Amino acid sequence: MSYDAEATRRRIFEAATAEFAACGLAGARVERIAAAARANKQAIYLYFGGKEKLFGAVVRAKVDEVCHTGSIDPNALGESVGQLFDWYQQHPELIRMLLWEALENGAGPLQGEDERRAAYRDNVRDLVGSGVAADLDEPARTRAAQDWMFTLLGLVAWNFAVPQLCRLVLDEDDERAALARRRTAVVAAARALAAQRPMEASRPS
């Protein structure tokens, strides 16, 4: 039987995603990733260059995945945000890894920071191209689109960053019931935001 390098890479990636989401970068162990992936440690270093680079690759890939799942459409903001909410509910590992990254890395440089920043710049350009803050001149228009996107991401992501608060504040014993309520509320809030001129406060006084 021939060695399938791509299948090995895929298994390592999937095992690393689970390990990093559960333990963070500092707590993750290459030995556990290798065992879960049915691979040897040398393959991880060969394909990814070590634990830190593997963590960066996993986070970048998950961010790319959510970005390509569906763009934020200002003309159908409720539907776009609802799809984003559903993706995060189905893939809680990204929020967990971002939280670990924030706790462990602080304000320091991130693995793959330039590539990740470039991807978000592409998203912002798409928003500007779709008409967000069209009444503003540059660079205020781009800044408004950046603020708008970050607000929407926070509106969705907070529900999965602190599921215990979601359950407690809403006074629901069932986490799924709490998230269903939150999805309805988040979509309604996004539609209310879309009905207003985006980030009017960004206009210089």
Side-chain angles (χ1 to χ4, degrees), residues 12-26:
I12 291 171
F13 192 88
E14 291 171 355
T17 300
E19 177 76 4
F20 289 134
C23 304
L25 174 58

Side-chain angles (χ1 to χ4, degrees), residues 110-119 121:
L110 305 173
Q111 283 288 333
E113 179 162 337
D114 290 342
E115 294 87 348
R116 287 166 64 180
R117 191 189 301 272
R121 284 173 175 165

